[in-house]
Amino acid sequence: MAEAFEPVAAVGAVEPLGVELLPTGHPGVDAGLDRLEALDGVPAEAHVAVYEDVHQRLADTLAALDQE
């Protein structure tokens, strides 16, 4: 018996991620999360640079907390 597959969007079509980002109340963390909104509708190849930027922002925020 053959399995039914749902059609896949055309290659090259970029769809919004549809992920809701809720504020944390911490300005540094929220600024990093705001950068993730830039990924909505962007091809996956462009995600790496944004993920690296967000990772660095969050790491800097954590390091700053250690300094307090």
Side-chain angles (χ1 to χ4, degrees):
M1 174 180 235
E3 293 183 41
F5 292 100
E6 290 191 30
V8 176
V11 174
V14 179
E15 302 216 2
L17 298 173
V19 176
E20 182 181 358
L21 299 173
L22 301 174
T24 66
H26 190 284
V29 174
D30 289 340
L33 293 176
D34 286 345
R35 286 282 292 131
L36 294 176
E37 290 179 350
L39 297 177
D40 223 7
V42 175
E45 300 83 42
H47 290 198
V48 174
V50 174
Y51 289 149
E52 288 174 346
D53 178 51
V54 171
H55 179 265
Q56 187 61 55
R57 287 172 185 246
L58 294 175
D60 292 347
T61 300
L62 285 173
L65 291 173
D66 286 342
Q67 301 295 322
E68 293 179 2

